Amino acid sequence: MPGSIGPRSIGRRRIVVTGIGAVTPVGAGREEVWENLLSGSSGFAPVESFDTSRYNVHAGAEIKEFDPAPYFSRLDPQTVGRATQLAIAAARQAVDDADLDLDSVEPERAGVVMGTTSGEPREVESFDDRYVAEELEQVGPEFITRYPCHVIAGCVASELQLAGVNAMIPAACAAGNYALAHAFDVLRAGRADVMLAGGADSFSRITYTGFARLGAIAPEVCQPFDRNRKGMIPGEGAAVLVLEPLERALERGRQPYAEVAGYGLSCDAHHMTAAHPEGAARAMQRALSDSSRQPEAVGYISAHGTGTATNDRLETRAVKRVFGDAAYKVPMSSIKSMIGHTMGAASAIEAAVCALAVATDRIPPTAHFEEPDPECDLDCVPNEAREQRVDMAMNNAYAFGGNNASVIFEKCRT
Amino acid sequence: MSAETSHQEPAARRVVVTGVGVVSPLGDSPRDLHAALTEGASGFRAVTLFDTDGLGARHAGEVADFAPESYLGRVNLRPVDRTARLVIVAAHLAFEESGWTRELREEHDVGLVLGTMFGSVHTISSFDRRALVAGPSYAKPFDFANSVINAAAGQTAIWHALRGINSTVAGGTTAGLQALAYAAEVIRTGRADAVLAGGADELCFESLYGFHQTGQLCSEGDGGAGHAVPFDARRDGMVLGEGAGLLMLEEAGSALERGAPILGEIRGHGNCYDCSRGTGESAVDAVERAVALALGDAGVSAGEIGAVSAAGNGSVLGDRHEALGLAAALGGRADLPVTAVKSMLGETLGASGAFGTIALLESLRSGVLPGIRGLEEPEEGLGLEGLSPRAREIETRLGLIDAVGLDGNVCALVIERIDSEELSAQLSGGA
């Protein structure tokens, strides 16, 4: 229990979200992504980036027809991996969306924190193809210069000339939330004036193989909380949020989407791939206590909601443990029903959703919902978006390794 | 701001080191490691972990004959890969020294922040290759669970019952130092009271071959590894190494209260990025900036630093940038004793920042700073005169560790030697 933990000693600066960028299987850019999520779009299609003929599943949530070139002005998009391309696109969009003139920011006071599950898996997959073909001599320096995951945050900084704090947090499927949480602390402690934070992952053969082997991939669509749900669907994407102190946003005449109220992290220490309701509950409780809020104040929960039998059942149980009877009154949807599981990007995209729910009082649905599951009996906002006041939104994410992270966003009162 | 004035801020939480766990090419205790480094021993040897036929690089800082069972007893290690085994053993050693028994860990949240460059690229690649050759239905679920980059941190949490904040920090060769900074920050800000932190990477075919293809490794003669001598005029690249180094970090008051050994204090850190990704002159500025940030965060002046544990690994450009940056940040302290333990351990990637910190902490405590093995003639114009092939006596409480990545990341950490009597006196207002 977190009993002995005392009050925070440094930094009570209020940190807000002023810009959102996202590249997803249902579109790119804040407006397009948000509208498509509200209308229940579906990003699922047969996998094209590699041959799935030897697999017993074929559905994926890939981003089709992505052209990185318009987002690059310094680096050459052909010299970086796909996750880095997606990350730079989302970062550029977020900066534009925030109306942030980077020339007006001291580069040394602006930084980047990104999360990922796999870094640049296509680089290691290409290494493996050559290994198997006994053509290893064809592996050039790019394996080491592109593959290690920290290059994603590094290249975003290099492209946008942000010379401040730089960190990469590979916390698997909760990585976006971990990155946001860290950036939030960096800003609170006064170590930067502006932080870009988010997550990115590219569609990966390795990830697909692993989930296929676990029998976790659904044949056609992802149906979180549905009684007949058949699993998750791997996806790809990136999202980046511009975070800055409230006073700075106001000084430059910018009305924030939302304020970051607090976060909580925990570790199950239980199982590498199966979640545990106790750890998930502790992350939510810590986030609430860090935000000095009661569960009743939460108006929307963005669920981890992968669509696997186990995750959705355990997650429902964890939310009930924290929220008690109030659990039945909080809408809790999963956008993975539309864009699949975008891995390290997932909770970053979901964080953008939470910020926009708070900003617009609209809640995206859980799509493809057909039949209620008695073990997942909370309000999953089936199929239709909802207009409803959202003062606070909680973003939940759970990862391999038992890494849990909850981040809370609230309406920014100025 | 001096050390004393920081106490005037009532809520300021201080971060102390209460234990160290190390699995390195030169020993498995901080004392043994320091002794070997002081003697100028070499951790480089012909690789035995895998076949190096046809590979230009055949030597590395391998942890030879690593036997986790000798620390952990007869246990089932099948579910965990080499990176996780190194971390699990280092954690075991750190808990033993700091007195965090399993019973205590079950009662209190202990966190883990692990720095790593690759996690295990060997596990990831093996998983993929098996699926390629035998078909996807023959891929191993165990390997998939370990294919995420945070696998070692997750496995170590399961092994040792660590339910606090659990985070993995990448950053290439700066990851270990960044992890220590991250952990110190969550303690300082009241998010945690006890966090194990440091870094690890394993030696494997995939990374050795990959680095060889970049041309960043030193040449190899018949007799062994070539001239991977940090800051030496004739250096021509690095030697890869492996290992795990972890420091048990705790909030000072609670550490004292439970009677923990007090070995030192994490005073401050700085982290920044070089947008030229290590290729241009701005790399020098980035090193200078990270060091200045760390000094400012610690509230100490450059003049108070008495020893430096540098990141130098034999890289032609990287070592030069680092030296010039250090010289600029520590201005006027050209004679400051500087060690570079990678001359003996190799570039241990995610572990290196932790090894640099552990070696310096032990140097501050023992009063002896290791030299730079093989240093014959420091490159001219680096601005550092305190480079020596031999160990030296030092008399200082405060030391600086820096980490300079291969592609832009820079981090610096200020540590101080302190024992429980001194800490107790300071916390009760007697200092």
Side-chain angles (χ1 to χ4, degrees):
Chain A
M1 292 321 284
S4 65
I5 294 171
R8 258 202 309 279
S9 61
I10 52 171
R12 295 282 352 181
R13 293 210 288 177
R14 294 174 63 188
I15 308 305
V16 296
V17 180
T18 58
I20 292 171
V23 185
T24 78
V26 297
R30 171 181 56 81
E31 285 179 46
E32 183 177 287
V33 171
W34 185 229
E35 288 311 319
N36 287 343
L37 289 174
L38 288 173
S39 64
S41 294
S42 185
F44 306 122
V47 172
E48 289 176 4
S49 59
F50 63 90
D51 178 11
T52 60
S53 58
R54 290 209 288 173
Y55 295 68
N56 56 9
V57 280
H58 310 283
E62 292 167 305
I63 295 168
K64 316 282 186 190
E65 296 166 20
F66 167 65
D67 178 13
Y71 303 105
F72 281 67
S73 65
R74 288 189 179 85
L75 303 183
D76 174 357
Q78 302 314 315
T79 64
V80 303
R82 182 171 171 89
T84 301
Q85 291 178 347
L86 296 169
I88 286 177
R92 182 73 73 182
Q93 290 170 0
V95 167
D96 290 347
D97 187 53
D99 200 15
L100 188 64
D101 174 12
L102 287 177
D103 292 336
S104 73
V105 181
E106 238 186 293
E108 293 78 12
R109 297 282 301 166
V112 181
V113 185
M114 293 293 288
T116 190
T117 292
S118 303
E120 293 289 4
R122 291 188 182 186
E123 305 302 321
V124 75
E125 288 164 11
S126 156
F127 176 96
D128 295 336
D129 287 335
R130 285 164 169 156
Y131 186 106
V132 168
E134 296 182 8
E135 296 170 347
L136 262 187
E137 67 285 352
Q138 287 183 25
V139 172
E142 75 284 348
F143 173 47
I144 291 297
T145 57
R146 293 183 197 175
Y147 166 63
C149 70
H150 70 276
V151 302
I152 298 173
C155 287
V156 169
S158 199
E159 171 61 32
L160 295 169
Q161 298 285 294
L162 311 174
V165 174
N166 193 284
M168 194 73 207
I169 306 192
C173 302
N177 264 358
Y178 273 79
L180 282 160
H182 186 54
F184 173 66
D185 278 353
V186 165
L187 286 164
R188 274 215 161 166
R191 296 183 187 276
D193 293 332
V194 177
M195 290 298 291
L196 270 53
D201 259 296
S202 74
F203 205 81
S204 154
R205 176 177 78 204
I206 294 172
T207 303
Y208 200 85
T209 304
F211 282 112
R213 184 71 181 81
L214 294 179
I217 299 180
E220 285 173 10
V221 289
C222 175
Q223 298 174 279
F225 308 115
D226 190 288
R227 184 173 198 155
N228 302 311
R229 63 190 179 277
K230 296 180 181 67
M232 50 86 77
I233 293 187
E236 66 178 340
V240 170
L241 277 62
V242 173
L243 303 182
E244 59 186 311
L246 173 63
E247 67 267 31
R248 197 181 181 285
L250 295 179
E251 261 169 39
R252 61 186 195 87
R254 192 73 201 159
Q255 182 59 38
Y257 294 111
E259 177 169 352
V260 184
Y263 75 85
L265 309 181
S266 75
C267 184
D268 293 341
H270 168 70
H271 192 278
M272 276 304 283
T273 56
H276 191 282
E278 198 266 336
R282 264 186 308 138
M284 284 186 259
Q285 280 154 352
R286 283 182 185 165
L288 286 164
S289 125
D290 190 41
S291 311
S292 308
R293 293 287 185 277
Q294 297 301 315
E296 292 73 22
V298 176
Y300 170 59
I301 298 172
S302 173
H304 187 57
T306 56
T308 64
T310 324
N311 175 84
D312 297 359
R313 189 175 63 236
L314 293 181
E315 189 172 2
T316 302
R317 209 180 291 167
V319 169
K320 287 182 191 172
R321 188 177 293 195
V322 176
F323 285 73
D325 287 343
Y328 292 94
K329 298 187 188 111
V330 193
M332 177 171 86
S333 67
S334 168
I335 62 161
K336 292 188 178 79
S337 60
M338 296 174 271
I339 64 169
H341 191 337
T342 57
M343 303 292 139
S347 51
I349 299 171
E350 288 149 13
V353 162
C354 285
L356 290 169
V358 156
T360 65
D361 292 321
R362 292 197 289 173
I363 294 172
T366 300
H368 303 115
F369 187 84
E370 289 166 3
E371 192 180 335
D373 179 348
E375 289 194 282
C376 303
D377 56 348
L378 302 179
D379 172 11
C380 74
V381 196
N383 300 321
E384 296 289 331
R386 202 176 289 167
E387 287 200 31
Q388 182 173 327
R389 188 170 171 88
V390 181
D391 286 321
M392 277 182 70
M394 178 187 270
N395 191 30
N396 288 340
Y398 311 117
F400 274 19
N403 285 181
N404 310 304
S406 295
V407 180
I408 295 181
F409 298 84
E410 66 182 342
K411 274 196 202 301
C412 184
R413 292 177 184 82
T414 56
Chain B
M1 199 171 80
S2 72
E4 280 74 24
T5 56
S6 68
H7 301 306
Q8 290 167 3
E9 206 174 21
R13 288 160 57 95
R14 294 169 59 180
V15 182
V16 294
V17 181
T18 60
V20 173
V22 57
V23 184
S24 85
L26 288 173
D28 59 1
S29 82
R31 265 70 58 187
D32 289 353
L33 171 62
H34 182 257
L37 293 170
T38 301
E39 281 169 23
S42 172
F44 304 154
R45 48 182 69 85
V47 172
T48 64
L49 273 172
F50 48 88
D51 190 357
T52 56
D53 275 0
L55 247 173
R58 296 186 302 275
H59 293 79
E62 180 180 301
V63 178
D65 308 319
F66 173 53
E69 299 87 349
S70 66
Y71 308 90
L72 305 170
R74 289 174 60 187
V75 287
N76 178 18
L77 288 160
R78 226 184 111 235
V80 292
D81 60 24
R82 185 172 177 87
T83 301
R85 290 174 191 191
L86 291 166
V87 179
I88 287 168
V89 170
H92 168 84
L93 295 170
F95 291 140
E96 261 189 356
E97 182 174 24
S98 59
W100 274 101
T101 60
R102 173 164 283 273
E103 291 70 36
L104 276 176
R105 299 196 303 268
E106 296 279 3
E107 282 169 32
H108 301 272
D109 280 341
V110 174
L112 171 62
V113 181
L114 184 71
T116 186
M117 181 160 184
F118 290 111
S120 172
V121 63
H122 177 63
T123 299
I124 296 165
S125 182
S126 305
F127 172 82
D128 189 36
R129 294 200 306 258
R130 187 175 166 84
L132 280 176
V133 173
S137 50
Y138 292 90
K140 293 183 186 169
F142 264 157
D143 281 354
F144 182 53
N146 289 329
S147 77
V148 287
I149 303 166
N150 61 332
Q155 293 282 18
T156 304
I158 293 169
W159 198 281
H160 290 299
L162 309 179
R163 298 193 178 84
I165 288 174
N166 187 289
S167 197
T168 301
V169 181
T173 63
T174 64
L177 211 55
Q178 284 189 258
L180 285 165
Y182 180 122
E185 191 88 341
V186 294
I187 293 173
R188 218 163 29 163
T189 53
R191 292 190 180 277
D193 285 335
V195 181
L196 186 64
D201 264 293
E202 69 180 14
L203 182 70
C204 63
F205 170 77
E206 291 78 7
S207 66
L208 187 65
Y209 187 81
F211 272 110
H212 179 258
Q213 297 301 86
T214 67
Q216 289 170 311
L217 300 181
C218 73
S219 59
E220 290 202 14
D222 293 334
H227 213 72
V229 181
F231 309 116
D232 192 87
R234 292 196 298 125
R235 70 187 184 276
D236 65 351
M238 61 190 189
V239 171
L240 221 51
E242 67 166 350
L246 294 168
L247 291 89
M248 188 64 223
L249 305 186
E250 295 182 55
E251 191 275 317
S254 60
L256 213 50
E257 204 169 296
R258 70 172 189 90
I262 308 293
L263 310 178
E265 179 171 2
I266 307 290
R267 290 292 307 272
H269 68 268
N271 169 320
C272 68
Y273 191 73
D274 161 35
C275 291
S276 82
R277 306 190 70 213
T279 61
E281 284 300 304
S282 58
V284 176
D285 304 335
V287 174
E288 180 182 359
R289 207 145 33 82
V291 172
L293 286 168
L295 293 172
D297 193 38
V300 303
S301 67
E304 292 174 81
I305 297 292
V308 176
S309 179
N313 60 14
S315 142
V316 176
L317 205 53
D319 286 10
R320 183 180 305 142
H321 290 151
E322 183 191 10
L324 293 171
L326 280 173
L330 301 169
R333 301 289 317 284
D335 59 332
L336 194 64
V338 176
T339 187
V341 299
K342 291 177 191 174
S343 60
M344 294 170 267
L345 296 168
E347 178 50 84
T348 57
L349 307 174
S352 66
F355 285 160
T357 305
I358 291 163
L360 187 62
L361 180 60
E362 208 52 35
S363 301
L364 296 175
R365 285 163 53 78
S366 66
V368 179
L369 184 74
I372 297 173
R373 185 176 198 275
L375 186 73
E376 289 166 4
E377 192 189 332
E379 181 186 337
E380 261 185 63
L382 291 183
L384 295 177
E385 285 159 33
L387 303 168
S388 162
R390 281 170 300 280
R392 282 152 296 175
E393 292 195 357
I394 51 169
E395 213 172 308
T396 179
R397 300 178 62 85
L398 283 161
L400 173 83
I401 309 102
D402 71 317
V404 182
L406 306 168
D407 47 11
N409 291 97
V410 191
C411 191
L413 195 72
V414 174
I415 62 171
E416 181 170 6
R417 156 175 62 84
I418 192 167
D419 62 29
S420 46
E421 276 180 33
E422 293 163 333
L423 181 65
S424 174
Q426 288 178 13
L427 289 186
S428 60

